[in-house]
Amino acid sequence: MTIGSVYIIVVTTITIATLLLTWLQNRRQVSSLRNQYIKQITSLLLSEQPSSVKILARSRRNRIALAEAIYTVVSHTYGNDTDALRHVVEQNRLESLLFREIHLSHGTRRARMLMLLSAIPLNADKVKQLSHYMHSHDRDIRISALTVALASSPSMAIRTIATFDFALTPFDTARIIALLRRGLLPIAYEPLLDSNNHNLRILGLAIVRSFGIEIAEKHLHKIISAEEDITIVNQTIYTLASLGRPLHHTRIRERLAAMPACKRKELCRHLTVEGYSLSAVRSIFTEQESVYAELLINSYKRALVHA
C-alpha cells in the first residue's frame, strides 16, 4: 500500500467521523429543542388562558421540531383544545412549511411530514391537495396521507376508507385505531362489520379487538358462518380469540379444518399466548398440534416460575 493510498484512507476516515459527529450533535440539539416545545405545548393545553402562552419557532429546523412536538403531544392525549393548537400552527406557519416539505421530499421523509401534518388542524380544502398521495405505491406514504384525510374530515371517514384502493395492513389499521383513541373518528364497529367493503370489515374487526368489545361476538359468528373471504374469516377467528371466547363451535372447527397447516400452527401459538387452556386447544386441533401447544404452554409456565 502506497503512502498516497494510506493518506486517502486516513482523510476519508476523518471526514466520515466528522460528518457522523456533526449529525449526532444536530440530532441531540433537535431532540432537546423538541422536548422544550413539548413542555410548552403541554402548558398551553393545560392553561386556563391559552392566549397567555407564547410559542415561537423562527428557523425551519425549529418549526419542524415544533411540528414534531405537537404530533407527540396530540398522539398521546385526548380531547385537545383545537383552537389553541390552531393558533400555534398559524402563528408559526407550520401548515405551509409541512406542505412544502411534503411536495419537495420523497419516500420515508415524505411519509414522516404527512404524519406530522395529521396532528395539525386543517381545512378539508387543503387536504384535497394531498389526496393523490393515498394512491402512492409507497405504503408508508399511503397510510400517512390517509390519516391526514381522516383526521381533517372525521365525518367522511367511512367513505374515505371505503375508497382506499389498497388493502389495509395491520400497521395501517393500528394507525387508524390511534386516531380513534384520540377521539377524532366517530366510527361505530357494527356498520363496519356489516359492510361489504374489505377494508371497512378489517377495520371493524380491529376495533373489536383493540377495545375488547365482547358484545360483538354474535356478529363475529355470523361472519364466520357466511363469509367467503378467507382473510376476513381468519381475522374474525383471531378476534374471537383476542376476546377469549370459545372456539369449539361447529362452523369454527370447519373453518379451522380448511386452514393450511402453517396457518393452523400460527393460530395454535396465538391461542397459547392468549391463555387458552390445553383442553380448549385439544377440542379444536389435532393430537400433533395439541402436543405442540402443550410444549408451548409448559415453556410459558417455566418462564413464569423463574421470573
Side-chain angles (χ1 to χ4, degrees):
M1 184 179 293
T2 65
I3 295 177
S5 299
V6 173
Y7 175 78
I8 292 173
I9 292 173
V10 171
V11 170
T12 302
T13 303
I14 293 174
T15 302
I16 293 173
T18 302
L19 291 173
L20 180 59
L21 181 60
T22 301
W23 180 80
L24 289 173
Q25 289 175 337
N26 287 336
R27 291 300 301 169
R28 281 195 291 267
Q29 290 173 358
V30 170
S31 178
S32 175
L33 187 62
R34 183 171 59 247
N35 289 339
Q36 291 177 29
Y37 284 134
I38 288 173
K39 292 178 181 178
Q40 292 178 355
I41 295 165
T42 303
S43 297
L44 170 72
L45 296 175
L46 294 175
S47 175
E48 294 182 359
Q49 295 181 319
S51 59
S52 65
V53 181
K54 303 297 182 184
I55 303 177
L56 295 176
R58 302 193 183 281
S59 68
R60 171 182 168 277
R61 186 183 70 169
N62 288 21
R63 290 161 69 200
I64 289 177
L66 175 56
E68 291 176 344
I70 291 175
Y71 176 82
T72 300
V73 173
V74 168
S75 61
H76 289 84
T77 52
Y78 177 88
N80 292 303
D81 186 342
T82 304
D83 291 335
L85 286 175
R86 182 176 285 111
H87 178 70
V88 174
V89 169
E90 292 174 350
Q91 191 174 34
N92 292 279
R93 307 186 311 283
L94 296 184
E95 183 181 293
S96 60
L97 169 71
L98 292 176
F99 267 86
R100 184 168 63 252
E101 293 289 329
I102 289 165
H103 291 312
L104 295 178
S105 58
H106 302 278
T108 301
R109 181 169 178 78
R110 174 174 284 170
R112 177 167 161 262
M113 294 298 111
L114 283 163
M115 179 186 73
L116 297 181
L117 194 63
S118 69
I120 289 176
L122 293 174
N123 294 323
D125 292 339
K126 297 288 289 185
V127 178
K128 289 179 181 179
Q129 300 177 27
L130 305 171
S131 59
H132 61 284
Y133 290 124
M134 287 198 298
H135 307 289
S136 170
H137 292 293
D138 187 309
R139 185 188 67 185
D140 291 339
I141 291 176
R142 285 201 307 267
I143 185 57
S144 295
L146 178 61
T147 54
V148 173
L150 296 178
S152 62
S153 302
S155 61
M156 299 291 289
I158 291 180
R159 183 178 300 179
T160 301
I161 296 170
T163 58
F164 193 60
D165 51 6
F166 292 89
L168 291 175
T169 67
F171 174 74
D172 298 339
T173 54
R175 293 280 295 273
I176 298 173
I177 294 294
L179 295 180
L180 276 167
R181 292 190 182 279
R182 284 164 50 189
L184 293 182
L185 300 182
I187 296 179
Y189 75 90
E190 290 182 339
L192 300 181
L193 295 181
D194 291 335
S195 172
N196 292 322
N197 181 274
H198 177 89
N199 281 338
L200 292 179
R201 300 190 90 175
I202 286 292
L203 179 59
L205 292 169
I207 291 173
V208 172
R209 287 195 301 273
S210 297
F211 294 93
I213 306 175
E214 295 185 0
I215 58 174
E217 185 175 358
K218 288 185 178 180
H219 280 81
L220 302 181
H221 282 290
K222 180 180 175 182
I223 292 172
I224 290 173
S225 297
E227 181 60 47
E228 296 181 0
D229 187 331
I230 299 302
T231 300
I232 297 292
V233 172
N234 291 347
Q235 287 294 310
T236 305
I237 293 173
Y238 271 90
T239 302
L240 277 171
S242 73
L243 298 175
R245 307 311 300 159
L247 300 177
H248 59 265
H249 297 275
T250 301
R251 189 54 177 149
I252 297 176
R253 291 167 59 87
E254 291 173 353
R255 293 292 196 175
L256 291 176
M259 271 188 181
C262 60
K263 294 295 183 182
R264 288 171 59 86
K265 195 170 184 179
E266 287 178 8
L267 179 61
C268 189
R269 288 197 298 270
H270 181 74
L271 295 185
T272 59
V273 172
E274 290 291 334
Y276 278 75
S277 67
L278 184 57
S279 60
V281 172
R282 282 175 174 162
S283 69
I284 57 177
F285 288 109
T286 65
E287 181 61 31
Q288 183 179 2
E289 290 164 339
S290 298
V291 170
Y292 173 67
E294 185 175 9
L295 291 173
L296 290 175
I297 292 171
N298 288 336
S299 69
Y300 296 147
K301 288 180 179 178
R302 283 196 294 272
L304 287 172
V305 168
H306 294 291

